[in-house]
Amino acid sequence: MRVIKNPKEMTKASRETRAKGKTIGFVPTLGYLHDGHKALISAAKKENDVVIVSRFVNPLQFRAKAFAVYPRDEKMDIAICRDAGVDCLFSPSTEAMYPEGFDTSVEVEDLTGRLEGARIRWHYRGVTTVVAKLFNIVQPDRAYFGKKDAHQLAILKRMTDDLNFPIRIVSVATRRAGDGLALSSRNSMLTPEERVAAVVIPRSVKAVAQMVKSGNRDRAGMSKTLRAMIEKEPNAKVDFAAVVDAETLRDDVYGASTLVYTAVFVGGKRLTDNMVVKSKT
Ligand code: PAF
């Protein structure tokens, strides 16, 4: 497995791969890889000749304090990628991605402001900016993202269409621990007590998803119920809870499926979870 740090070298390697008629599957990550990432890698391996993973803690999508403490372990990431049969790991430095004078950002306007996006526009702008850069550097045929980050996924699909990236976005089901908690690198930052408390999140999302399945259309009421269920746990503080149309992320549109979405602080760590359910016709 090759480990490439330089963006130009990465693009050269990708071009050589494509020149040989091989397809590239790309898994962008923040590093500190876990089973959720392994599921993305294994989906990419099934559909492509070559798999490239990137690990980059993107400063544009974090507040300074969170960026400083985000877990990093390059050796572990290299070992996991090797084990999983990845062909190339792109692991650039901040300076390589954002050299002095870097002055461009990419923003998907309407979708970014939906759900809790109005408050954290800067975060999603950071995500779209780095993913647009990574798409240009890696030039894959397909890119793999988890369904767990439902808002991010909707925004990235829109960006890929709007900017004519010749890339297919593939979404992969959320991997969960035995007790239901969605896998995330952030789980490693929870204390044992917080880890137990966090289970209230998937339980409550599932209960509200069940209400949607049974035909409940009172989205404002279900959002309140979701918040109340989660906050019964003293260690959990809901940052955002919503029940919306899964495609437009609007609460006044009733399409084919419905998204139950929440972002919750557990001991100061922000965890997100969601479920998409077919709306009852
Ligand atoms: O979901 C993530 O891991 C990150 O937001 C991404 C897509 C790798 C961009 O930094």
Side-chain angles (χ1 to χ4, degrees):
M1 184 185 77
R2 276 183 83 179
V3 180
I4 297 181
K5 297 203 167 262
N6 181 302
K8 285 202 174 105
E9 205 184 310
M10 183 65 255
T11 303
K12 187 165 170 276
S14 281
R15 287 205 178 125
E16 285 165 4
T17 302
R18 295 170 67 89
K20 288 180 197 148
K22 293 188 173 173
T23 56
I24 300 176
F26 177 42
V27 181
T29 81
L30 294 165
Y32 214 72
L33 304 180
H34 52 65
D35 284 355
H37 296 114
K38 287 187 200 162
L40 299 180
I41 293 169
S42 109
K45 274 186 76 70
K46 280 189 196 125
E47 296 178 326
N48 303 276
D49 300 314
V50 165
V51 173
I52 299 174
V53 172
S54 66
R55 67 175 292 282
F56 178 61
V57 185
N58 174 31
L60 299 189
Q61 67 186 82
F62 288 98
R63 294 203 194 281
K65 218 170 138 196
F67 177 71
V69 300
Y70 198 84
R72 295 162 170 88
D73 189 340
E74 191 181 44
K75 270 195 191 146
M76 178 188 84
D77 290 342
I78 291 175
I80 289 176
C81 284
R82 252 200 203 112
D83 249 32
V86 168
D87 298 277
C88 176
L89 178 67
F90 177 49
S91 182
S93 64
T94 306
E95 296 69 34
M97 288 296 278
Y98 301 120
E100 217 179 300
F102 181 86
D103 196 24
T104 300
S105 65
V106 177
E107 183 172 87
V108 174
E109 302 216 353
D110 183 69
L111 270 183
T112 293
R114 301 265 161 213
L115 297 176
E116 85 283 35
R119 277 191 292 126
I120 51 167
R121 251 184 193 280
W122 61 272
H123 163 79
Y124 286 115
R125 195 184 308 124
V127 172
T128 37
T129 301
V130 80
V131 173
K133 272 178 77 72
L134 289 166
F135 280 180
N136 281 325
I137 293 167
V138 175
Q139 303 185 2
D141 295 276
R142 299 181 185 87
Y144 295 78
F145 296 92
K147 287 189 179 171
K148 179 176 159 306
D149 299 309
H151 194 178
Q152 169 175 284
L153 182 62
I155 290 169
L156 290 175
K157 278 184 180 161
R158 185 81 262 159
M159 178 193 81
T160 305
D161 277 0
D162 288 356
L163 298 185
N164 300 89
F165 282 109
I167 298 169
R168 194 157 79 74
I169 302 294
V170 184
S171 58
V172 176
T174 304
R175 290 288 305 271
R176 296 183 180 278
D179 58 8
L181 185 67
L183 298 189
S184 159
S185 305
R186 287 175 190 213
N187 296 354
S188 68
M189 299 193 277
L190 299 170
T191 63
E193 195 183 296
E194 288 163 0
R195 175 63 188 75
V196 171
V199 177
V200 73
I201 304 170
R203 272 198 204 131
S204 310
V205 169
K206 201 172 165 193
V208 172
Q210 197 51 51
M211 293 166 77
V212 176
K213 273 190 199 159
S214 335
N216 191 327
R217 285 168 67 91
D218 174 11
R219 287 176 170 167
M222 287 189 286
S223 303
K224 275 194 196 139
T225 304
L226 179 57
R227 182 179 284 271
M229 276 177 169
I230 295 171
E231 290 193 340
K232 272 198 184 138
E233 164 55 58
N235 266 321
K237 179 90 196 90
V238 174
D239 188 34
F240 192 81
V243 181
V244 293
D245 174 65
E247 199 188 320
T248 59
L249 307 183
R250 296 174 63 114
D251 60 8
D252 55 351
V253 172
Y254 288 80
S257 46
T258 302
L259 172 72
V260 180
Y261 177 91
T262 191
V264 181
F265 283 106
V266 179
K269 275 72 80 179
R270 192 171 188 274
L271 306 179
T272 62
D273 201 355
N274 74 80
M275 275 185 80
V276 173
V277 276
K278 286 221 158 44
S279 313
K280 201 169 181 195
T281 45

